[in-house]
Each structure stands twice: as C-alpha cells, then as structure tokens.
Amino acid sequence: MRRKTYAMRYVAGQPAERIMATGVPVGIGQAMPSGAPLNGEGPLRVLVWNIFKQQRAEWLSVLRDFGKEAHLVLLQEAQTTPELIRFATTNYLAADQVPAFVLPQHPSGVMTLASAHPVYCCPLREREPILRLAKSALVTVYPIPDGRLLMVVNIHAVNFSLGVDVYSKQLGPIGEQIAAHSGPVIMAGDFNAWSRPRMNALYRFSREMSLREVRFKDDRRRRTFGRPLDFVFYRGLTVHDASVLVTRASDHNPLLVEFTPGRR
C-alpha cells in the first residue's frame, strides 16, 4: 500500500501538526485567506540548501549565520533532529517538512522555514524506481507586502532513475500547482540535474511555467558530471542579489537570493 503523503508543521509552543496532501484548489492565488505578509521593508531573502541530513559539523552555525536573516529557508535532506526543530521554531513562525523517508531516529525530507504562516500547504512525494527511496517536494503560499500571494516550491528531485520519465513525472504535480497560481513563484532546491536529458526536462518545464533561472556571477554550486545540482527559478519578482556560500558543512553549497517585488 502506498504511504499517504503529508507534511509536519512545527510552530513554537504548539504540538506538531500533520497536514495531508490535497489537490489543486480552485482559484489558487485568488481566493485564499489573508495573513501577515512574509517580510516587511527591503528585499525578500531566500536561502536554499541541501543540508546533507546534518551529517557534517558546523551545519548549525551556517544556518545561524545565514538562515536567521532570511525570510525563507528551503532545506533538502533535512532531518527533524531536536537541534534543527529548535532552530526553526526559535527563528521562524512556521516550519513545514515533508518526510520522504524515515532514518533510524528522525524523518528526512524537504523543509521550508518561513517568517510568516503559510495560507496554503501541499506536500508531494515521488519514489525513485531503482533504490525505492522517496524524494519530496513542498508547495506553500504566503502573502507578501504588495498584496500578492507568493507560491514557494521546495524540491528534492529523484536521483537514480533510467531515463527521465520518473524525473518528469515528479515535476508534473508541481506544474499543476504553479499553473493554477496567478501570482509570483519561487521554485528552488536540489534538482539532481546531472545529465543533459535531465537538464533539458528541467528547462522545458521552467519555460512552460514561465519561470526564469537565477544566475550566479561567482557560481560555486556543487556539480556532478560538470552540471550544477541546485537551482532557483522565479517569476513575478526581480532578483536583487544572488550568491553561493562556500562551506564544508554539507556536500552542497547554500544559495542566497534576494528578491524585490518587481514583475520581471
């Protein structure tokens, strides 16, 4: 029996809440409840990082140095250890994680930390055909100060598969969510785009969704077979600054992007 997909929400002072997967709501981005906006004045800061299950030293210091100043932190391979949950609930209003698979002690999967409560949350999972391990994605939506609703997609793409059928299959439900949303979008994470067919599938998807790729001048992203694994795509916003933070605290380097509300 296929395991049900859900997200776990962590909020300071409250018990963890399970949020089940839902379909695409009618009028997403138009008829959602209002809430406090994601950030106040200044650029919207977003940190994207495959945290490598917190297996290396200094991962917490990297989050403390760079994550606590961000309005959104999109983590992949995040284990729900007490240290990470404590950091998330101390520095953010809400943290949502999609458990992709359960390690001996703590579930691991994508986790989105935000300085505002999401008004919509949709967890997604896709199982790798070879290793049978699941990869996860999370779609959340937040109000932003200009009155629009920002959709945020945090993804850890399937890695071991023959061809790109399963890779493209994982992108399909994400595309349904984005296509139903009329506002700005940020889609980021570890896309495991280590082959030309995968890159082609990813870029074709981004074109279909009218998403633009964030470019990094000093591009120190980790690569496999010469191709970067981590990406940030967007629409309905303007990139104010983008950098890659070099660290040994993971097998991936964090991406830090600042957006302004422009519609380019």
Side-chain angles (χ1 to χ4, degrees), residues 5-6 14 32 38 82 111 126 164 183 185 200 215 224 260:
T5 301
Y6 62 91
Q14 299 181 19
M32 292 184 181
L38 190 59
M111 177 183 283
E126 185 63 49
V164 295
V185 176
N200 290 341
R215 303 289 183 176
T224 297
T260 53

Side-chain angles (χ1 to χ4, degrees), residues 31-37 117-119 142-143 147 149:
M32 292 184 181
S34 60
H117 292 285
V119 296
Y142 308 89
L149 290 166

Side-chain angles (χ1 to χ4, degrees), residues 9 29 31-36 116-121 139-143 149-150:
R9 176 165 298 163
M32 292 184 181
S34 60
H117 292 285
V119 296
Y120 174 76
C121 177
V139 180
T140 47
V141 175
Y142 308 89
L149 290 166
L150 169 67

Side-chain angles (χ1 to χ4, degrees), residues 75-87:
L75 301 176
Q76 301 82 49
E77 293 192 24
Q79 282 198 72
T80 51
T81 60
E83 295 82 5
L84 180 57
I85 298 303
R86 189 179 305 114
F87 170 84

Side-chain angles (χ1 to χ4, degrees), residues 97-218:
Q97 190 223 29
V98 184
F101 57 93
V102 178
L103 296 167
Q105 288 184 306
H106 307 290
S108 174
V110 298
M111 177 183 283
T112 299
L113 286 56
S115 61
H117 292 285
V119 296
Y120 174 76
C121 177
C122 181
L124 300 166
R125 293 170 71 248
E126 185 63 49
R127 190 172 297 278
E128 292 184 337
I130 296 177
L131 298 183
R132 306 306 295 168
L133 297 175
K135 291 292 192 293
S136 57
L138 177 64
V139 180
T140 47
V141 175
Y142 308 89
I144 55 177
D146 65 4
R148 294 182 296 167
L149 290 166
L150 169 67
M151 174 173 282
V152 177
V153 181
N154 183 357
I155 179 172
H156 190 191
V158 294
N159 195 8
F160 301 103
S161 64
L162 299 175
V164 295
D165 288 348
V166 176
Y167 190 81
S168 298
K169 180 184 175 184
Q170 186 183 16
L171 294 173
I174 294 172
E176 293 175 3
Q177 298 277 327
I178 295 175
H181 181 66
S182 61
V185 176
I186 296 173
M187 182 180 76
D190 177 0
F191 288 86
N192 278 314
W194 41 259
S195 69
R196 183 175 294 277
R198 283 171 172 249
M199 289 288 292
N200 290 341
L202 178 58
Y203 282 140
R204 181 169 57 251
F205 177 84
S206 66
R207 289 194 301 269
E208 291 172 352
M209 296 297 109
S210 300
L211 299 174
R212 301 179 64 174
E213 180 185 356
V214 173
R215 303 289 183 176
F216 301 92
K217 291 182 180 179
D218 184 17

